[in-house]
Amino acid sequence: MASNSLAYNEQAGAGETAELGQEAAATMSPSGAFGLFSSDLKKNEDLKQMLESNKDSAKLDAMKRIVGMIAKGRNASELFPAVVKNVASKNIEIKKLVYVYLVRYAEEQQDLALLSISTFQRALKDPNQLIRASALRVLSSIRVPIIVPIMMLAIKDASADLSPYVRKNAAHAIQKLYSLDPEQKEMLIEVIEKLLKDKSTLVAGSVVMAFEEVCPERIDLIHKNYRKLCNLLVDVEEWGQVVIIHMLTRYARTQFVSPWKEDGGAEDSEKNFYESDDEQREGTERRKKPYAMDPDHRLLIRNTKPLLQSRNAAVVMAVAQLYWHISPKSEAGVISKSLVRLLRSNREVQYIVLQNIATMSIQRKGMFEPYLKSFYVRSTDPTMIKTLKLEILTNLANEANVSTLLREFQTYVRSQDKQFAAATIQTVGRCASSISEVSDSCLSGLVCLLSSRDEVVVAESVVVIKKLLQMRPAQHGEIIKHMAKLLDSITVPVARASILWLIGENCERVPKIAPDVLRKMAKSFTSEDDLVKLQILNLGAKLYLTNSKQTKLLTQYILNLGKYDQNYDIRDRTRFIRQLIVPNEKSGALSKYAKKIFLAQKPAPLLESPFKDRDHFQLGTLSHTLNTKAAGYLELSNWPEVAPDPSVRNVEVVELTKEWTPAGKAKKENPAKKFYSESEEEEDSSDSSSESESESGSGSEEEADSSEDSSASSPSEQEGESASESEGRSKRTAKKSWKTRAKSDSEDEEKENEKSKSSDSSSAESSSAEESSSDAESESESDSGPDSRKVTKEKEGRPKQARSTLPKDVSLLDLDDFNSVSTPVALPTPVLSPSLRADLEGLNLSTTSSVINVSSPVFVPMKTHVLLHRMSGKGLAAHYFFPRQPCIFGAKMVSVQITLNNTTDQKIENIHVGEKKLPAGMQMHAFSPVDSLEPEGSVTVSMGIDFCDSTQTASFQLCTKDDCFSVNIQPPVGELLLPVAMSEKDFKKEQGMLTGMNETSALIVATPQDFTPSVILQKVVNVANVGAVPSGQDHLHRFAARTVHSGSLMLVTVELKEGSTAQLIINTEKTVIGSVLLRELKPVLSQG
Amino acid sequence: MIHSLFLINCSGDIFLEKHWKSVVSQSVCDYFFEAQEKAADVENVPPVISTPHHYLISIYRDKLFFVSVIQTEVPPLFVIEFLHRVADTFQDYFGECSEAAIKDNVVIVYELLEEMLDNGFPLATESNILKELIKPPTILRSVVNSITGSSNVGDTLPTGQLSNIPWRRAGVKYTNNEAYFDVVEEIDAIIDKSGSTVFAEIQGVIDACIKLSGMPDLSLSFMNPRLLDDVSFHPCIRFKRWESERVLSFIPPDGNFRLISYRVSSQNLVAIPVYVKHNISFKENSSCGRFDVTIGPKQNMGKTVEGITVTVHMPKVVLNMNLTPTQGSYTFDPVTKVLTWDVGKITPQKLPSLKGLVNLQSGAPKPEENPSLNIQFKIQQLAISGLKVNRLDMYGEKYKPFKGVKYVTKAGKFQVRT
């Protein structure tokens, strides 16, 4: 990690602050300078002592108690100096608690808080990404204006950090800095712009959040990232999804033209949801050119759809509002099902979702009509939920379902929850007014309710009846008479007032009753509620005008009472009415019109949904819920008449091709990354991979990425049959096991069965997978199973992926699923195909020549070794591996392939080998310099090293344009060999010459299944590059090779003995290498 | 986004506060208390309250209010969902989400809240990641920590945080590899007075308990996947696979989690496993009434219906009840007016019934509506919709796991109107 030291070059300024800080802390602590504080509270004295003790446990206890105080909201600020000293504590838990404390009190104790800054600055350079990230978090949370420049610097650095986690925290820090100092906006926008380009799913949500907070008006920043964000969306964490979807909804409304057929937009959508669709389309087509949706618009709609299935209610709601606001009306229907699903959730979620459904159901009834019954009310629902459900039911009511609904409402009216019952009555009124067919039955139902014992119900009924009668001033004399009678029993003021008003309005229809009612009211006038008194006055005035003979005196009596009432409203009204109706000398011109004024035709009230006016707010927002504009609410703009230039979203040509026409290569990396969308592509990818590297390992990679079909489809033609056969077999077994299970009733039995059956099936399965995964040696390996094999298999699979693409851990995060086109990755293909190798062997057997032929490797392990980690290489990562090929640079060299990856987001230029530090005798042929490496690109180069048949390390420098990194390659002993094909006879002959000093041997103990020929072969060739020698005896396995440098023979024999032991013998001139090889082979062969 | 969080208990004490931006005074909660007073019932406190300078979004869980303070526009569901996630995390860590548990573990609670939100925006909410950062308290660990001085706090970034499968950590190891699935279906129904079904639907979940080493890749298929009408998935499930093949393919989180929740398509008729005969009446002008309820099995697919409980919210005028059950036991709480009858199992030979007299407040008018009956029951080894798991396959690992599927049918919101 020599390179790390480079990262530590702190600015001189920062270093100074650090020193100052420490000095200050040092002078303060021992001097008892807290005179100021200590007098306040003695009881915190022990905490201070604990914090100053040397023991971490005491400090930790103290910090825990302090955090407890903070949690309860008690003031612990006086401990600030004592706490802040521990900010550099080695103990991570103390440190974290100190951070908690700092963030809470730094604002109050700004000067002292500055003491801690240097610690964070240092931590920002820590190699551990968690420490870097948390330092940035705390530093940016300290709301001290003086450190704004430091924060700005830290954010800039962190936004270029290699770890996406740190970059995520940088995005969060942007918002914090912005709220602390809005003047930094311009600089912060630059950082946001940079982070928006980030391809990590981890960062996406946070940076969009920052964008929304800092510069939501800069919609132009989104253009270039729009497609990327759409494509990443499914893989972003759920909270980020919500923020991104809301932002994209706004974006879409500014950039695309309306997909709705009507011109007006949302307002007039309700009038024809069903019938008119076709007509409308025809109409619009005639009027203007046919509407074609922008492919980007479509992309957004398509990519958000899977998120309707999210478990997170906020995500579902976000998608729902997106569909509502930007999708064509015919497609918005898909959201209703998901929204209805959310109604199973807890009451708070229900509340918000129902509110939104209420707004939607006003405009587009059809969407929720199929789910009518899901909104039926249960007696256990909280009242607020009940009212909302009722609201929705009313909105959904139409001629077809109204009778069902009214029956349901009858139950609700009798509910014990009177508030709800009253709401139901209003609802019935609304139904009656909107659907004329049922208004009569509604009215009679309401009249029945008038005899209810509950006042609230009766009162509400009266009010609703009043409204209904007003709307349809037909002959409803009977009802009015009935209501007049009720005046004796009803005490609720609103109801009484309503009845009086009704009688007054219809006094000419009920000429006998009205004066009598007035008489009764005159008697009780003084004890009535103010509301009722006003209506009595009105009734009196109206009767005076129509029937003055009977009521003149009564009215005057009432007016006199009103004149001396305590309430000035009533006194005012009395004066007004008197002047208006009672003719006297002073009466003005108005009194002529008194009758017209009082008995004018009054427009009927419109019974409307209280949710009517909410539709101008974006759904799912706080503003919509509150029905007022909340702070920071971003208006959803109307669709533009003409779409802005769509080409702004085009990314440069190279990237565009990447996005839209992913080449076979790019697809191949997909399965691991694109989590949701992989399956379609998987087949292609497995095809392509099996073509390009038909030797071993291709399947195991797919395997790791799952899916049945990949294992079936990945093996290339030659193997296809056997693999599918075994696959089929395993399926059958598996199916059997499930059937048995399905039949068996008892749980216990079930498990028994399962154990046995499932073990069968899975082993069968695993072997089939195995076969398909490694073509070259599948014949010999079909009955594998031991774990060791599995382990090696896995090892092969993983690094192989790393080599052929990017290192796994990096690629997982990298959201960009596309590899740079410009960097074709060289796939190491063995020179000889397996069949050719078999031919060669055959040749060797037939010609009994004793010539030692170098043959092709039996097996090339895919294990790669790290040459340069990306952290220490400033983003340049290098891995090397041994292709086991004869080296093209020299016969005595071992060929090494190095894969270089660029994990930064800048080009790395001029990668070459610098100074070589080789032990005496060793030689190295460097690879030709790589001029430039694109971001995310990788390139494979090969070089040759002559290790002189030793396992000494070859050290050299890997240089880029700017930096040099020291790297080492140490060869495993098995790679210093080249396989040799020879006959059994030759082998015996050679072995005979290499005895005594030249022979080393060891005894191995292992289980019999480890000693099957295939397992032994596999194990040996995995460790060492040797060739198998055909053996006449079953218990003898022979392998031959020669060393690369000197060409000395290396003969390996595994002789199986009685029981589970075996003798491993190595004959070679190079005794040192021989014994090293023995040491390496022994554990491999003996492990179980 | 989320500015501060206050935890408030039933009696209105603020026992924990946490601020992610500058400090907001506790007095902001007064608006909440006001709303609470107005609502009378805790269930009726509006989740979103507007105050002059802030907005309060609250949830009510396990007798605690989680009140968050918001300053600017934010999707309310975002906050609500997050608060529930916080409560879930507490439940997960401490076994219960109660005032006592939170007070006992106040330091861990604080550390958790610190990790879950940064500047009001969720940072790590996946329990797997949190557990690597902050280890849950156990007795053993606290003993070990006090001896060795090691801490509960992890010092490296959890692997999940950086991978695209954040729900699973690397290097999981078990000696016994097991995968269990519980298919739990709930019947939501409203039955009207005459016994006919007003509304019924089946909601189901599959809860999984997966203890598998390494990185297993599972795929679960059903005999009749078309039954599932509307499904919501754990993020681990590959959506495309489900779309094309109706197979649940996923790399599971470690431990217990909810794999999917689903609704069975509404076209299917829902079998109602029990019927209720009821006769509840209140006499006019007298202070007593009659109560008679009998439960019997119906359409139960040959399985026993067990764990039956009947809960009735009696009208306010009911003073007391004098009943005799033929089976099980009953309680009546005269304060909340809730009658609970714990029935147990139904034996078809002798149907359980509960009969007796109801004492009403004298002089008060008789209640207009009969109370509705809420019924709970359970049927083991049956998924009422007929959903059947076909097979479970594992890829990517070579060991043989134990696999098990259990079916249970329960009553969800099952209400009988009388």
Side-chain angles (χ1 to χ4, degrees), chain A residues 547-667:
Chain A
N547 187 2
S548 60
K549 211 198 296 170
Q550 269 185 307
T551 56
K552 189 173 179 182
L553 286 171
L554 262 177
T555 309
Q556 276 182 346
Y557 171 68
I558 291 167
L559 288 175
N560 283 335
L561 284 176
K563 191 175 176 182
Y564 299 105
D565 198 89
Q566 281 186 327
N567 187 307
Y568 49 78
D569 273 346
I570 293 170
R571 292 200 301 273
D572 275 356
R573 179 72 64 90
T574 314
R575 247 192 310 274
F576 166 72
I577 288 177
R578 190 189 291 275
Q579 290 303 317
L580 205 56
I581 60 168
V582 184
N584 56 11
E585 67 280 5
K586 274 184 279 176
S587 69
L590 267 181
S591 57
K592 274 186 263 173
Y593 304 105
K595 195 164 182 179
K596 273 192 181 155
I597 292 170
F598 276 104
L599 291 168
Q601 271 298 324
K602 288 163 188 91
L606 222 56
L607 294 175
E608 273 194 331
S609 160
F611 283 82
K612 188 82 184 159
D613 53 343
R614 290 199 184 191
D615 53 7
H616 57 276
F617 290 112
Q618 188 176 359
L619 290 183
T621 58
L622 186 62
S623 306
H624 175 266
T625 299
L626 295 169
N627 200 15
T628 48
K629 200 167 164 179
Y633 174 74
L634 299 167
E635 210 64 68
L636 205 57
S637 71
N638 271 328
W639 296 102
E641 286 290 312
V642 182
D645 181 17
S647 65
V648 289
R649 283 182 294 278
N650 290 354
V651 195
E652 290 115 65
V653 187
V654 186
E655 280 173 285
L656 192 70
T657 48
K658 269 193 252 167
E659 278 188 344
W660 296 110
T661 56
K665 180 72 211 91
K667 271 187 188 171

Side-chain angles (χ1 to χ4, degrees), chain A residues 11 16 22 106 178 221 228 389 398 420 422 449 475 526 549:
Chain A
Q11 297 97 337
E16 264 170 42
Q22 273 154 358
Y178 180 65
L221 295 181
K228 185 193 75 188
K389 281 186 171 173
N398 59 21
F420 171 60
L449 286 177
Q475 282 71 43
T526 44
K549 211 198 296 170

Side-chain angles (χ1 to χ4, degrees), chain A residues 28 161 329 467 561 574 608 649 799 816 941 985 1036:
Chain A
M28 290 199 76
D161 199 283
K329 298 219 155 125
K467 287 180 182 167
L561 284 176
T574 314
E608 273 194 331
R649 283 182 294 278
D816 191 21
V941 293
K985 206 173 98 194
L1036 274 176

Side-chain angles (χ1 to χ4, degrees), chain A residues 24 87 119 146 196 208-209 268 582 594 612 618 707 791 829 1015 1086:
Chain A
V87 71
T119 318
I146 303 171
L196 274 172
V208 171
M209 188 64 223
D268 47 359
V582 184
K612 188 82 184 159
Q618 188 176 359
S707 108
V791 172
T829 34
V1015 174
S1086 56

Side-chain angles (χ1 to χ4, degrees), chain A residues 726 729-730 761-773 781-785, chain B residues 398:
Chain A
S726 61
R729 194 185 342 117
S730 69
S761 68
S762 80
S763 78
E765 202 112 65
S766 69
S767 70
S768 79
E770 196 78 345
E771 269 173 82
S772 63
S773 66
E781 258 175 37
S782 56
D783 54 344
S784 65
Chain B
K398 290 289 156 58

Side-chain angles (χ1 to χ4, degrees), chain A residues 137 623 706 754 790 813, chain B residues 73 114 162 217 398 403:
Chain A
R137 265 177 75 186
S623 306
S706 90
E754 193 137 35
K790 191 190 79 199
L813 286 172
Chain B
E73 170 66 50
E114 189 73 31
L162 283 177
D217 194 325
K398 290 289 156 58
K403 301 180 262 188

